[in-house]
Amino acid sequence: MMFLKGIGALLLTLGAFSVFSLKFPRGDKAMGGLADAAVATFLVEAIFKYICGDFVGISFLGEVGAASGSMGAVAAAALVGLGMGTNPTYAIASAAAVAGFGILPGFIAAYILHFVLKRTVRYLPNGLDVIVGTLMSAALARGIAILVDPGVNAVISTVGESISIATSQSPIMMGLILGGLMKMICTSPLSSMALTAMLGLTGLPMGIAAIACFGGSFTNALIFKRLKLGDNGRVLAVMLEPLTQADIITQNPIPIYGSNFFGGALSGIVAAVLGIVNNAPGTASPIPGLLAPFAFNEPMTVVLALALAAVGGTIAGFAGSIVFKKLGFGNEEVPE
C-alpha cells in the first residue's frame, strides 16, 4: 500500500505539474525559471558545500555553497519573474522580499505577482510607477509567500514523505518506476530539476532521480545516433541537456520517451541496489546527476553506480533503436 501511495502521489504531482506547464498562462516560462533557480542554488550548494567544503575541506567554497543553498526562494522569485517578462526592478524587489522561505513559495509569489503587476502598474503615472511598483512588488511577494507557505509545506512534505517511505520499503520497484519516470521528465519539455526541487526530494529517491538522468543520457545519445535524428553535435547536446533538443524530441516522442523510460529504469535500479543517496534536491539532470552524488556517498560507490547506469542506458538505447527502427521510426539520412 505504501508503494502504491508513493507512486500515486508522484503521478498526481506530475499530472498537476504537467497541466500547469502546458495549460496555465506562461506556465512553461515559469517552470523554466524554477529549474534555473534549482541549478543556481541547489547545484552550487551540492558541489561547493558538500564536496568542496565538507569533503575536500575548502572552507571558502563551503561558505559559498551554504549561502547559495539558502537562497532558493530568492532565486526562484527572480528567475521566474524575469522569465515571464516581469520588470527586472520589480522581479528583484520581490525576490529580496521572500528571503527565508522555500523555493516553492518564492515561485508561487513570482507567478501571481507577474499578473497582478501587469494589470495595475500600467495605470500609474510616469515617475511614480517605478517607486510604487517596487514597493508593491516587495510587499505583495512576501504577503503571498506567508499565505501559501503553510499549505505548500504540508502538501509537499506529504508527497515527499510518501515517495521516501515507498522507496525505503520497495527500493528496487521504486528505482524502476521513479527512475523511468524521472528520465522521461528530464527529456520532456517539463523539468525534472524543477519537479524534484519543488518536492524537496532527498535521500535515496533523489539519488535514484540523479543517477537515472545520468544513465538515460546514453539512451538518448544512441537513439539520436542510430535513428539519425541529428548530427554529432545534437547527439552530444542531448546527452548533456535534453531540453536543448526539444524540437527533435517533440517530433519523435514515441521512440525517445519509450527508450528513455527503460534507460532511466535500469539506472534507477542500479542506484537503489547500491543505495545512492543525494541530499541536494533539484539536481535531477545529466550533469548535476553526475556530480551531486559524490557529495553524499563513497566516491568508488558513485563511480560504480555511474558506470553501471551508463551500461544500462546504453543497453536501453541500443535495444530501443533496434525496435523502433523495425517499426519505421527514424530517418534515412542525418538531418542538417
Side-chain angles (χ1 to χ4, degrees), residues 36 101 270:
D36 291 340
F101 287 93
V270 167

Side-chain angles (χ1 to χ4, degrees), residues 213-275:
C213 288
F214 169 79
S217 299
F218 296 85
T219 307
N220 275 332
L222 278 167
I223 290 295
F224 266 57
K225 184 71 174 178
R226 289 176 56 81
L227 295 186
K228 300 180 180 178
L229 301 180
D231 58 21
N232 289 335
R234 284 184 174 266
V235 171
L236 179 61
V238 80
M239 285 189 73
L240 298 177
E241 179 46 68
L243 294 181
T244 63
Q245 305 305 309
D247 55 334
I248 293 179
I249 291 169
T250 52
Q251 292 170 17
N252 302 273
I254 295 176
I256 294 174
Y257 293 145
S259 302
N260 262 263
F261 177 84
F262 291 101
L266 291 174
S267 302
I269 291 172
V270 167
V273 170
L274 293 178

Side-chain angles (χ1 to χ4, degrees), residues 93-240:
S94 65
V98 297
F101 287 93
I103 192 170
L104 194 52
F107 163 77
I108 295 172
Y111 183 78
I112 295 174
L113 189 62
H114 171 78
F115 296 104
V116 172
L117 292 173
K118 188 176 180 180
R119 288 166 173 76
T120 56
V121 174
R122 61 182 176 179
Y123 295 110
L124 296 173
N126 290 336
L128 286 179
D129 54 348
V130 175
I131 297 173
V132 175
T134 300
L135 296 175
M136 183 186 301
S137 299
L140 285 177
R142 191 160 188 90
I144 293 168
I146 291 172
L147 286 175
V148 303
D149 190 55
V152 164
N153 288 338
V155 172
I156 294 306
S157 63
T158 299
V159 174
E161 183 180 1
S162 297
I163 295 172
S164 297
I165 293 175
T167 304
S168 66
Q169 293 190 354
S170 306
I172 294 179
M173 283 299 298
M174 283 298 289
L176 188 154
I177 302 290
L178 184 59
L181 289 176
M182 280 298 172
K183 185 54 196 175
M184 290 177 69
I185 298 167
C186 178
T187 306
S188 75
L190 303 176
S191 170
S192 53
M193 289 185 292
L195 177 61
T196 52
M198 186 170 65
L199 292 176
L201 286 187
T202 56
L204 183 57
M206 191 63 235
I208 289 170
I211 297 297
C213 288
F214 169 79
S217 299
F218 296 85
T219 307
N220 275 332
L222 278 167
I223 290 295
F224 266 57
K225 184 71 174 178
R226 289 176 56 81
L227 295 186
K228 300 180 180 178
L229 301 180
D231 58 21
N232 289 335
R234 284 184 174 266
V235 171
L236 179 61
V238 80
M239 285 189 73
L240 298 177

